[in-house]
Amino acid sequence: GQQVMQIPQYQHVQEGEDFTTYCNSSTTLSNIQWYKQRPGGHPVFLIQLVKSGEVKKQKRLTFQFGEAKKNSSLHITATQTTDVGTYFCAGPVGQGAQKLVFGQGTRLTINP
Amino acid sequence: NAGVTQTPKFRILKIGQSMTLQCAQDMNHNYMYWYRQDPGMGLKLIYYSVGAGITDKGEVPNGYNVSRSTTEDFPLRLELAAPSQTSVYFCASSTLLAGWNEQFFGPGTRLTVL
């Protein structure tokens, strides 16, 4: 079945350093979503990318969707302690894209 | 709006016991989902529903059952609990409107089977 792989699994940075997580799908995606899960919390939707090559920014977060719509990345500039958590990408599967398949997530920890 | 609510927050079961995890949403979403998240892992889909009366299996349905009698509620039933079902269970809902499938998650139920 369709798989979505994320790397790295873990990333530890000093506060102020940049962070990037990468997502790769085994098949072409109609769109890709990103979620953030704080420690002990639940996943919260961040963004959805739809167009080939699309780039979207949310303050210090930059999201990219690859030209072939099979990969995506999330880049955080100058990390802050509030960025701690696990970041998941997810792609739609199934008839009518009713379901999402999630990557394993990248857990970000930050040294203040 | 309360969004997606789940009860209970925590539960400890003995092997072989059964229980129902409750999930409700007040956003009039057609689509509802149950995921499990094992420690340090991603989310795996157990069951989902595209509307009242319609349910389908996800990636890991064995040992679970669901029903969807109303738009608002989507309970998950565990029969004959096993230690392998120790996990955090998240319920989610979405509208899937014009290709937009943002999923709204509940706070989760932490289940331990001993």
Side-chain angles (χ1 to χ4, degrees):
Chain A
Q2 182 175 344
Q3 289 188 326
V4 174
M5 309 296 292
Q6 251 184 286
I7 55 170
Q9 191 174 358
Y10 302 98
Q11 185 80 59
H12 180 77
V13 301
Q14 291 289 127
E15 188 175 14
E17 290 181 339
D18 291 358
F19 159 77
T20 305
T21 173
Y22 300 91
C23 182
N24 290 288
S25 170
S26 57
T27 60
T28 300
L29 300 170
S30 58
N31 64 72
I32 194 156
Q33 299 182 17
W34 285 91
Y35 291 77
K36 177 183 178 181
Q37 184 178 25
R38 293 183 187 273
H42 59 276
V44 175
F45 176 84
L46 293 176
I47 206 161
Q48 176 170 306
L49 304 171
V50 178
K51 298 177 184 176
S52 169
E54 188 170 13
V55 178
K56 285 189 176 180
K57 292 190 176 185
Q58 290 179 350
K59 296 184 180 177
R60 294 177 294 103
L61 278 62
T62 302
F63 303 85
Q64 290 189 314
F65 200 11
E67 293 290 341
K69 301 183 76 173
K70 294 182 72 174
N71 57 72
S72 181
S73 65
L74 158 60
H75 179 82
I76 302 178
T77 303
T79 54
Q80 300 176 359
T81 54
T82 53
D83 296 324
V84 164
T86 301
Y87 293 84
F88 294 98
C89 62
V93 295
Q95 186 180 4
Q98 299 162 348
K99 302 180 289 185
L100 290 177
V101 59
F102 283 80
Q104 312 95 301
T106 296
R107 183 178 173 188
L108 173 64
T109 54
I110 298 173
N111 221 16
Chain B
N1 288 351
V4 180
T5 57
Q6 291 183 241
T7 56
K9 285 192 172 69
F10 304 92
R11 185 73 186 267
I12 298 174
L13 283 182
K14 294 183 180 178
I15 294 172
Q17 287 185 321
S18 300
M19 77 165 293
T20 298
L21 282 66
Q22 301 292 344
C23 173
Q25 54 91 10
D26 62 0
M27 297 174 282
N28 202 32
H29 287 171
N30 285 334
Y31 298 84
M32 295 189 75
Y33 310 85
W34 274 106
Y35 295 92
R36 61 175 287 171
Q37 184 177 36
D38 297 332
M41 302 295 285
L43 298 155
K44 294 190 176 179
L45 183 65
I46 305 171
Y47 270 96
Y48 69 104
S49 169
V50 301
I54 306 170
T55 63
D56 206 350
K57 295 178 180 178
E59 185 184 355
V60 290
N62 291 345
Y64 307 94
N65 274 301
V66 293
S67 60
R68 183 102 181 266
S69 56
T70 66
T71 299
E72 294 78 19
D73 300 297
F74 190 39
L76 177 71
R77 178 82 177 161
L78 276 74
E79 304 282 1
L80 299 175
S84 60
Q85 293 179 304
T86 293
S87 191
V88 180
Y89 291 84
F90 289 104
C91 178
S93 71
S94 70
T95 62
L96 197 61
L97 190 63
W100 187 265
N101 192 14
E102 172 184 354
Q103 293 195 5
F104 295 81
F105 285 80
T109 294
R110 294 182 178 274
L111 175 67
T112 302
V113 182
L114 300 174

